[in-house]
Amino acid sequence: MKETVEIAKEVLKNNRRSGYTLPTNNKLYPAQWNWDSAFIALGYSYFNIDYAIKELETLITGQWDDGMIPHILFHDNDESYFPNHKTWECGNKIPSSGITQPPIIATIVKKIVDKNKLNQGQMKRMEIIIKKLKKYLDWFFNYRDTNKIGLVSIIHPWESGLDNSPIWDSPLDKVKIEENLKYERRDLNVSKSENRPLKKDYDAYITLLNQFKKDKYNPSKIVNESMFNVIDIGFNSIVIRATKDLIEVGKRFNLNFSDLENKIALSEESLIKFYKEEEQSFFSYDFKNHNLIKVDAISNYFILFADLGNKEINNKIISKLKKYNSQREYFFTTVNPKDKTFEETRYWRGPVWINSNWIIYQGLINKDKNFSELLKNKTLELLENKNFHEYYNFKNGDCLGANNFSWSAALYLDLKFN
Ligand code: GLC
Protein backbone atom coordinates (compact mmCIF):
# COMPACT_ATOMS: atom_id res chain seq x y z
CA MET A 1 0.00 0.00 0.00
CA LYS A 2 1.20 3.49 -0.82
CA GLU A 3 2.34 5.71 2.01
CA THR A 4 -0.11 8.48 2.85
CA VAL A 5 2.67 11.01 2.26
CA GLU A 6 3.03 9.84 -1.33
CA ILE A 7 -0.72 9.94 -1.87
CA ALA A 8 -0.80 13.51 -0.55
CA LYS A 9 1.87 14.60 -3.00
CA GLU A 10 0.03 12.91 -5.84
CA VAL A 11 -3.22 14.66 -4.99
CA LEU A 12 -1.46 18.00 -5.21
CA LYS A 13 0.39 17.16 -8.41
CA ASN A 14 -2.75 15.84 -10.08
CA ASN A 15 -4.71 18.94 -9.18
CA ARG A 16 -1.97 21.21 -10.50
CA ARG A 17 -2.61 23.17 -13.69
CA SER A 18 -0.27 25.73 -15.24
CA GLY A 19 1.18 27.61 -12.28
CA TYR A 20 -1.71 27.05 -9.91
CA THR A 21 -3.64 24.24 -8.29
CA LEU A 22 -7.34 23.43 -8.16
CA PRO A 23 -8.97 22.80 -4.76
CA THR A 24 -10.03 19.38 -6.14
CA ASN A 25 -10.13 17.74 -9.53
CA ASN A 26 -13.73 16.55 -9.38
CA LYS A 27 -15.18 19.60 -11.16
CA LEU A 28 -16.66 21.15 -8.03
CA TYR A 29 -14.17 24.04 -7.96
CA PRO A 30 -12.55 24.59 -11.40
CA ALA A 31 -10.46 27.70 -10.58
CA GLN A 32 -7.83 29.07 -8.17
CA TRP A 33 -9.02 30.01 -4.69
CA ASN A 34 -7.14 32.42 -2.46
CA TRP A 35 -6.73 30.60 0.86
CA ASP A 36 -6.73 27.17 -0.77
CA SER A 37 -3.67 28.24 -2.75
CA ALA A 38 -1.88 29.44 0.35
CA PHE A 39 -2.39 26.08 2.10
CA ILE A 40 -1.43 24.29 -1.11
CA ALA A 41 1.82 26.27 -1.36
CA LEU A 42 2.71 25.16 2.15
CA GLY A 43 2.16 21.53 1.08
CA TYR A 44 4.39 21.92 -1.99
CA SER A 45 7.14 23.43 0.15
CA TYR A 46 7.78 19.92 1.51
CA PHE A 47 8.70 18.50 -1.89
CA ASN A 48 8.93 21.19 -4.55
CA ILE A 49 9.76 24.68 -3.40
CA ASP A 50 9.43 26.12 -6.89
CA TYR A 51 5.85 24.88 -7.17
CA ALA A 52 5.21 26.51 -3.82
CA ILE A 53 6.56 29.91 -4.88
CA LYS A 54 4.89 29.68 -8.27
CA GLU A 55 1.51 28.96 -6.66
CA LEU A 56 1.83 32.15 -4.60
CA GLU A 57 3.08 34.21 -7.54
CA THR A 58 0.17 33.15 -9.70
CA LEU A 59 -2.29 34.10 -7.00
CA ILE A 60 -0.65 37.48 -6.59
CA THR A 61 -0.76 38.16 -10.31
CA GLY A 62 -4.49 38.57 -9.80
CA GLN A 63 -4.06 41.35 -7.22
CA TRP A 64 -6.16 44.41 -7.94
CA ASP A 65 -4.61 47.87 -8.22
CA ASP A 66 -6.10 48.86 -4.87
CA GLY A 67 -4.32 45.93 -3.19
CA MET A 68 -7.11 43.36 -2.84
CA ILE A 69 -6.34 39.77 -3.72
CA PRO A 70 -9.60 38.23 -4.94
CA HIS A 71 -11.08 35.08 -3.49
CA ILE A 72 -11.21 33.34 -6.88
CA LEU A 73 -9.09 33.69 -10.02
CA PHE A 74 -10.61 32.24 -13.17
CA HIS A 75 -7.62 31.30 -15.29
CA ASP A 76 -9.50 29.80 -18.18
CA ASN A 77 -12.90 30.23 -19.64
CA ASP A 78 -14.44 27.35 -17.76
CA GLU A 79 -18.08 28.08 -17.18
CA SER A 80 -18.98 24.87 -15.40
CA TYR A 81 -18.78 26.63 -12.04
CA PHE A 82 -21.32 29.11 -10.82
CA PRO A 83 -20.74 31.99 -10.32
CA ASN A 84 -18.02 32.07 -12.98
CA HIS A 85 -16.08 34.95 -14.58
CA LYS A 86 -19.08 35.92 -16.65
CA THR A 87 -21.18 36.44 -13.55
CA TRP A 88 -18.61 38.52 -11.71
CA GLU A 89 -17.34 40.51 -14.70
CA CYS A 90 -14.24 41.88 -13.05
CA GLY A 91 -10.56 41.25 -12.45
CA ASN A 92 -7.16 42.74 -13.01
CA LYS A 93 -4.95 40.84 -15.47
CA ILE A 94 -6.86 37.68 -14.56
CA PRO A 95 -10.69 37.47 -14.47
CA SER A 96 -11.67 37.17 -10.82
CA SER A 97 -14.34 37.44 -8.18
CA GLY A 98 -14.83 40.89 -6.63
CA ILE A 99 -14.37 39.96 -2.98
CA THR A 100 -11.54 38.46 -0.93
CA GLN A 101 -10.86 35.59 1.51
CA PRO A 102 -8.90 35.20 4.80
CA PRO A 103 -5.32 36.45 4.23
CA ILE A 104 -3.74 33.30 5.65
CA ILE A 105 -1.15 33.66 2.87
CA ALA A 106 1.04 35.96 5.00
CA THR A 107 1.37 33.33 7.74
CA ILE A 108 2.11 30.66 5.16
CA VAL A 109 4.81 32.79 3.50
CA LYS A 110 6.50 33.29 6.87
CA LYS A 111 6.43 29.55 7.50
CA ILE A 112 7.92 28.75 4.11
CA VAL A 113 10.69 31.33 4.54
CA ASP A 114 11.44 30.15 8.10
CA LYS A 115 11.63 26.48 7.23
CA ASN A 116 13.52 26.47 3.96
CA LYS A 117 16.97 27.46 2.83
CA LEU A 118 15.99 29.53 -0.15
CA ASN A 119 18.57 30.43 -2.80
CA GLN A 120 19.12 33.98 -3.97
CA GLY A 121 16.64 33.75 -6.83
CA GLN A 122 13.96 32.28 -4.61
CA MET A 123 14.58 34.94 -1.97
CA LYS A 124 14.18 37.63 -4.59
CA ARG A 125 10.85 36.14 -5.69
CA MET A 126 9.68 35.92 -2.10
CA GLU A 127 10.60 39.55 -1.51
CA ILE A 128 8.35 40.61 -4.38
CA ILE A 129 5.52 38.51 -2.95
CA ILE A 130 6.01 39.99 0.53
CA LYS A 131 5.86 43.56 -0.75
CA LYS A 132 2.60 42.80 -2.47
CA LEU A 133 1.23 41.21 0.67
CA LYS A 134 1.93 44.44 2.52
CA LYS A 135 -0.29 46.17 -0.01
CA TYR A 136 -2.93 43.48 0.55
CA LEU A 137 -2.96 43.93 4.33
CA ASP A 138 -3.00 47.72 3.94
CA TRP A 139 -6.07 47.26 1.76
CA PHE A 140 -7.90 45.56 4.63
CA PHE A 141 -7.13 48.40 7.03
CA ASN A 142 -7.84 51.10 4.44
CA TYR A 143 -11.14 49.82 3.16
CA ARG A 144 -12.59 47.33 5.62
CA ASP A 145 -11.83 48.95 8.94
CA THR A 146 -14.42 51.66 8.42
CA ASN A 147 -14.59 52.69 12.08
CA LYS A 148 -10.80 52.72 12.43
CA ILE A 149 -10.87 50.34 15.36
CA GLY A 150 -8.33 47.93 13.90
CA LEU A 151 -10.98 45.32 13.07
CA VAL A 152 -12.10 44.52 9.55
CA SER A 153 -15.52 43.70 8.17
CA ILE A 154 -16.46 41.01 5.74
CA ILE A 155 -19.25 41.95 3.37
CA HIS A 156 -20.11 38.53 1.96
CA PRO A 157 -20.19 35.11 3.64
CA TRP A 158 -17.87 33.79 0.92
CA GLU A 159 -15.16 36.12 2.18
CA SER A 160 -15.00 34.17 5.42
CA GLY A 161 -14.17 30.92 3.63
CA LEU A 162 -16.82 29.32 5.87
CA ASP A 163 -19.61 29.89 3.38
CA ASN A 164 -22.71 28.68 5.19
CA SER A 165 -21.58 28.84 8.80
CA PRO A 166 -24.57 29.50 11.08
CA ILE A 167 -22.74 32.67 12.18
CA TRP A 168 -24.16 34.24 9.01
CA ASP A 169 -27.76 33.11 9.55
CA SER A 170 -29.12 36.13 11.37
CA PRO A 171 -27.28 38.77 9.27
CA LEU A 172 -28.40 36.98 6.09
CA ASP A 173 -32.01 36.89 7.25
CA LYS A 174 -31.99 40.66 6.95
CA VAL A 175 -30.69 40.76 3.40
CA LYS A 176 -33.50 41.81 1.10
CA ILE A 177 -33.42 39.23 -1.69
CA GLU A 178 -33.44 40.68 -5.18
CA GLU A 179 -36.70 40.26 -7.03
CA ASN A 180 -36.79 37.93 -10.01
CA LEU A 181 -33.40 36.54 -9.17
CA LYS A 182 -32.29 34.06 -11.83
CA TYR A 183 -29.27 31.79 -11.64
CA GLU A 184 -28.39 28.17 -12.03
CA ARG A 185 -26.39 26.38 -9.36
CA ARG A 186 -23.75 23.95 -10.62
CA ASP A 187 -22.48 22.62 -7.32
CA LEU A 188 -25.47 20.31 -6.98
CA ASN A 189 -24.50 18.46 -10.17
CA VAL A 190 -21.33 17.24 -8.50
CA SER A 191 -22.17 17.20 -4.79
CA LYS A 192 -25.09 16.02 -2.66
CA SER A 193 -27.58 18.74 -1.81
CA GLU A 194 -27.81 17.63 1.83
CA ASN A 195 -24.15 18.48 2.24
CA ARG A 196 -24.31 21.87 0.55
CA PRO A 197 -25.72 25.33 1.35
CA LEU A 198 -29.47 25.89 0.99
CA LYS A 199 -31.29 27.77 -1.77
CA LYS A 200 -32.08 30.61 0.62
CA ASP A 201 -28.36 31.03 1.28
CA TYR A 202 -27.57 31.12 -2.43
CA ASP A 203 -30.32 33.66 -3.06
CA ALA A 204 -28.63 35.97 -0.57
CA TYR A 205 -25.12 35.25 -1.91
CA ILE A 206 -26.17 36.20 -5.43
CA THR A 207 -28.17 39.23 -4.31
CA LEU A 208 -25.06 40.58 -2.57
CA LEU A 209 -22.86 39.80 -5.57
CA ASN A 210 -25.22 41.66 -7.91
CA GLN A 211 -25.20 44.68 -5.64
CA PHE A 212 -21.37 44.81 -5.65
CA LYS A 213 -21.33 44.44 -9.42
CA LYS A 214 -23.76 47.32 -9.77
CA ASP A 215 -21.37 49.44 -7.68
CA LYS A 216 -18.52 48.35 -9.96
CA TYR A 217 -16.79 46.83 -6.95
CA ASN A 218 -15.76 50.26 -5.70
CA PRO A 219 -14.22 49.25 -2.34
CA SER A 220 -15.43 52.27 -0.36
CA LYS A 221 -18.90 52.07 -1.79
CA ILE A 222 -19.55 48.37 -1.37
CA VAL A 223 -18.45 48.28 2.24
CA ASN A 224 -20.91 51.03 3.07
CA GLU A 225 -23.75 49.74 0.98
CA SER A 226 -23.53 46.02 1.58
CA MET A 227 -26.58 44.54 3.28
CA PHE A 228 -24.19 42.16 5.00
CA ASN A 229 -21.40 43.50 7.19
CA VAL A 230 -19.92 41.36 9.96
CA ILE A 231 -16.90 41.80 12.19
CA ASP A 232 -16.02 38.16 12.40
CA ILE A 233 -13.79 36.74 15.12
CA GLY A 234 -12.29 34.00 12.95
CA PHE A 235 -11.51 36.36 10.11
CA ASN A 236 -10.02 39.05 12.33
CA SER A 237 -7.91 36.48 14.14
CA ILE A 238 -6.40 35.47 10.81
CA VAL A 239 -5.83 39.12 9.86
CA ILE A 240 -4.05 39.88 13.14
CA ARG A 241 -1.86 36.83 12.87
CA ALA A 242 -1.15 37.64 9.21
CA THR A 243 -0.13 41.15 10.19
CA LYS A 244 2.21 39.94 12.92
CA ASP A 245 3.75 37.35 10.63
CA LEU A 246 4.22 39.82 7.79
CA ILE A 247 6.09 42.25 10.03
CA GLU A 248 8.37 39.43 11.17
CA VAL A 249 9.08 37.94 7.78
CA GLY A 250 9.60 41.45 6.37
CA LYS A 251 12.55 41.87 8.76
CA ARG A 252 14.34 38.98 7.07
CA PHE A 253 14.30 41.08 3.90
CA ASN A 254 15.12 44.38 5.59
CA LEU A 255 11.61 45.57 4.91
CA ASN A 256 10.29 47.85 7.56
CA PHE A 257 6.57 47.37 8.12
CA SER A 258 6.49 48.92 11.58
CA ASP A 259 3.48 51.06 10.61
CA LEU A 260 1.48 47.86 11.00
CA GLU A 261 2.43 47.59 14.66
CA ASN A 262 -0.06 50.31 15.64
CA LYS A 263 -2.76 48.38 13.84
CA ILE A 264 -2.04 45.30 15.88
CA ALA A 265 -2.19 47.18 19.18
CA LEU A 266 -5.50 48.72 18.20
CA SER A 267 -6.92 45.43 16.88
CA GLU A 268 -6.11 43.59 20.07
CA GLU A 269 -7.58 46.28 22.23
CA SER A 270 -10.82 46.27 20.21
CA LEU A 271 -11.07 42.53 19.83
CA ILE A 272 -10.96 41.86 23.54
CA LYS A 273 -14.29 43.69 23.86
CA PHE A 274 -15.94 40.82 22.03
CA TYR A 275 -14.98 38.38 24.77
CA LYS A 276 -17.99 37.50 26.91
CA GLU A 277 -17.19 36.22 30.36
CA GLU A 278 -20.54 34.53 30.86
CA GLU A 279 -20.05 32.15 27.93
CA GLN A 280 -16.26 32.17 28.21
CA SER A 281 -16.19 32.91 24.53
CA PHE A 282 -15.58 35.44 21.78
CA PHE A 283 -18.50 36.18 19.47
CA SER A 284 -18.70 37.82 16.07
CA TYR A 285 -20.57 41.08 15.68
CA ASP A 286 -23.23 41.94 13.12
CA PHE A 287 -22.02 45.44 12.33
CA LYS A 288 -24.93 46.17 10.03
CA ASN A 289 -27.67 45.30 12.51
CA HIS A 290 -25.73 45.93 15.72
CA ASN A 291 -25.88 42.65 17.51
CA LEU A 292 -23.63 39.95 18.82
CA ILE A 293 -23.91 36.57 17.10
CA LYS A 294 -23.99 33.95 19.78
CA VAL A 295 -23.20 30.75 17.90
CA ASP A 296 -20.65 28.35 19.35
CA ALA A 297 -18.60 27.82 16.18
CA ILE A 298 -15.02 26.62 15.92
CA SER A 299 -13.96 29.83 14.17
CA ASN A 300 -14.51 31.74 17.43
CA TYR A 301 -11.60 29.71 18.79
CA PHE A 302 -9.33 30.94 15.97
CA ILE A 303 -8.62 33.67 18.49
CA LEU A 304 -5.89 31.32 19.75
CA PHE A 305 -4.22 31.72 16.35
CA ALA A 306 -4.23 35.51 16.76
CA ASP A 307 -1.87 35.02 19.71
CA LEU A 308 -3.36 37.68 21.97
CA GLY A 309 -1.07 38.40 24.86
CA ASN A 310 -3.84 37.74 27.41
CA LYS A 311 -2.94 34.50 29.16
CA GLU A 312 -5.99 34.42 31.36
CA ILE A 313 -8.42 34.65 28.47
CA ASN A 314 -6.41 32.22 26.36
CA ASN A 315 -6.61 29.66 29.17
CA LYS A 316 -10.35 30.07 29.47
CA ILE A 317 -10.79 29.59 25.74
CA ILE A 318 -8.63 26.47 25.84
CA SER A 319 -10.54 24.96 28.74
CA LYS A 320 -13.78 25.60 26.90
CA LEU A 321 -12.35 24.08 23.73
CA LYS A 322 -11.46 20.93 25.66
CA LYS A 323 -15.14 20.36 26.33
CA TYR A 324 -16.28 21.30 22.81
CA ASN A 325 -15.98 17.78 21.33
CA SER A 326 -14.97 15.82 24.39
CA GLN A 327 -15.15 12.02 24.14
CA ARG A 328 -15.39 12.11 20.42
CA GLU A 329 -13.30 10.10 18.06
CA TYR A 330 -13.08 12.88 15.48
CA PHE A 331 -12.83 16.60 16.07
CA PHE A 332 -13.24 19.58 15.79
CA THR A 333 -16.73 19.97 14.41
CA THR A 334 -17.23 23.35 12.73
CA VAL A 335 -20.10 24.01 15.12
CA ASN A 336 -20.55 22.67 18.63
CA PRO A 337 -22.97 19.68 18.39
CA LYS A 338 -24.83 21.14 21.37
CA ASP A 339 -25.56 24.36 19.49
CA LYS A 340 -29.04 24.43 17.99
CA THR A 341 -27.69 25.34 14.55
CA PHE A 342 -25.49 22.24 14.31
CA GLU A 343 -26.05 19.99 11.26
CA GLU A 344 -24.00 16.84 11.14
CA THR A 345 -23.25 16.65 7.41
CA ARG A 346 -23.92 20.11 6.01
CA TYR A 347 -20.70 21.79 4.90
CA TRP A 348 -19.61 24.45 7.43
CA ARG A 349 -22.44 23.75 9.87
CA GLY A 350 -21.01 20.67 11.57
CA PRO A 351 -18.48 18.49 9.74
CA VAL A 352 -14.77 18.39 10.59
CA TRP A 353 -12.55 20.45 8.24
CA ILE A 354 -8.79 19.99 8.14
CA ASN A 355 -7.94 23.66 7.74
CA SER A 356 -9.84 24.65 10.88
CA ASN A 357 -8.01 21.96 12.82
CA TRP A 358 -4.74 23.29 11.42
CA ILE A 359 -5.51 26.87 12.44
CA ILE A 360 -6.44 25.81 15.96
CA TYR A 361 -3.35 23.63 16.13
CA GLN A 362 -1.13 26.58 15.23
CA GLY A 363 -2.82 28.57 17.96
CA LEU A 364 -2.32 25.87 20.59
CA ILE A 365 1.34 25.01 19.96
CA ASN A 366 2.74 27.75 22.18
CA LYS A 367 -0.07 27.62 24.76
CA ASP A 368 -0.87 23.99 25.50
CA LYS A 369 1.63 21.57 24.01
CA ASN A 370 -0.18 18.37 25.05
CA PHE A 371 -3.50 19.45 23.68
CA SER A 372 -1.88 20.60 20.45
CA GLU A 373 -0.19 17.21 20.05
CA LEU A 374 -3.48 15.43 20.65
CA LEU A 375 -5.16 17.50 17.96
CA LYS A 376 -2.31 16.96 15.55
CA ASN A 377 -2.26 13.20 16.04
CA LYS A 378 -6.03 12.88 15.75
CA THR A 379 -5.99 14.86 12.52
CA LEU A 380 -3.14 12.81 11.06
CA GLU A 381 -4.92 9.61 12.04
CA LEU A 382 -8.15 10.72 10.36
CA LEU A 383 -6.28 11.53 7.14
CA GLU A 384 -4.28 8.30 7.24
CA ASN A 385 -7.45 6.26 7.63
CA LYS A 386 -9.66 8.12 5.21
CA ASN A 387 -7.36 10.01 2.84
CA PHE A 388 -7.96 13.48 1.51
CA HIS A 389 -11.52 14.68 1.41
CA GLU A 390 -13.12 18.06 1.71
CA TYR A 391 -14.75 17.42 5.11
CA TYR A 392 -15.62 14.55 7.43
CA ASN A 393 -18.37 13.29 9.69
CA PHE A 394 -17.35 13.67 13.35
CA LYS A 395 -19.07 10.47 14.47
CA ASN A 396 -17.55 7.94 12.10
CA GLY A 397 -15.03 9.87 9.99
CA ASP A 398 -17.18 9.35 6.88
CA CYS A 399 -15.87 11.31 3.91
CA LEU A 400 -18.02 14.20 2.74
CA GLY A 401 -17.89 16.65 -0.17
CA ALA A 402 -15.15 16.43 -2.77
CA ASN A 403 -12.40 13.81 -2.78
CA ASN A 404 -8.73 14.46 -3.67
CA PHE A 405 -9.05 17.70 -1.79
CA SER A 406 -5.87 19.76 -2.08
CA TRP A 407 -5.70 21.58 1.25
CA SER A 408 -6.37 18.37 3.20
CA ALA A 409 -3.38 16.81 1.42
CA ALA A 410 -1.20 19.91 1.78
CA LEU A 411 -1.89 20.37 5.48
CA TYR A 412 -1.29 16.66 6.08
CA LEU A 413 2.27 17.20 4.85
CA ASP A 414 2.74 20.18 7.13
CA LEU A 415 1.36 18.40 10.19
CA LYS A 416 3.38 15.30 9.42
CA PHE A 417 6.74 17.02 8.97
CA ASN A 418 6.46 19.68 11.60
C1 GLC B 1 -15.82 26.70 -0.64
C2 GLC B 1 -15.26 26.88 0.77
C3 GLC B 1 -14.07 27.81 0.73
C4 GLC B 1 -13.05 27.30 -0.25
C5 GLC B 1 -13.66 26.99 -1.63
C6 GLC B 1 -12.72 26.22 -2.53
O1 GLC B 1 -16.34 27.87 -1.15
O2 GLC B 1 -16.24 27.34 1.63
O3 GLC B 1 -13.50 27.95 1.99
O4 GLC B 1 -12.01 28.19 -0.38
O5 GLC B 1 -14.82 26.22 -1.50
O6 GLC B 1 -12.25 25.06 -1.90
Side-chain angles (χ1 to χ4, degrees), residues 87-141:
T87 328
W88 287 99
E89 286 185 302
C90 59
N92 180 21
K93 295 197 189 119
I94 303 169
S96 73
S97 68
I99 55 174
T100 192
Q101 251 191 341
I104 197 98
I105 182 171
T107 296
I108 301 278
V109 163
K110 175 171 187 296
K111 263 189 185 293
I112 294 178
V113 170
D114 284 351
K115 287 190 180 299
N116 292 278
K117 223 177 141 17
L118 301 181
N119 65 33
Q120 229 183 353
Q122 292 162 338
M123 283 296 270
K124 195 75 217 136
R125 291 164 72 194
M126 275 300 196
E127 183 176 345
I128 296 171
I129 294 172
I130 289 167
K131 286 183 179 156
K132 297 196 170 165
L133 291 183
K134 169 69 165 60
K135 207 173 154 198
Y136 183 32
L137 292 187
D138 283 344
W139 175 86
F140 278 105
F141 293 111

Side-chain angles (χ1 to χ4, degrees), residues 23 29 33 35-36 81 101 158 161-163 196 347-348 353 355 390 405 407:
Y29 307 114
W33 262 259
W35 75 335
D36 296 62
Y81 181 76
Q101 251 191 341
W158 285 337
L162 323 170
D163 303 6
R196 297 284 305 172
Y347 216 34
W348 293 99
W353 286 76
N355 68 336
E390 194 178 3
F405 199 68
W407 83 39

Side-chain angles (χ1 to χ4, degrees), residues 333-378:
T333 53
T334 27
V335 174
N336 189 328
K338 292 187 206 89
D339 195 285
K340 61 179 189 306
T341 62
F342 175 80
E343 290 183 68
E344 195 175 312
T345 63
R346 198 182 294 284
Y347 216 34
W348 293 99
R349 302 177 74 90
V352 173
W353 286 76
I354 302 306
N355 68 336
S356 356
N357 278 9
W358 184 88
I359 291 170
I360 301 274
Y361 170 70
Q362 302 302 322
L364 284 173
I365 292 176
N366 60 355
K367 302 179 190 70
D368 189 328
K369 190 79 190 144
N370 288 341
F371 194 28
S372 76
E373 285 295 305
L374 175 71
L375 172 58
K376 176 166 106 173
N377 292 333
K378 281 283 184 191

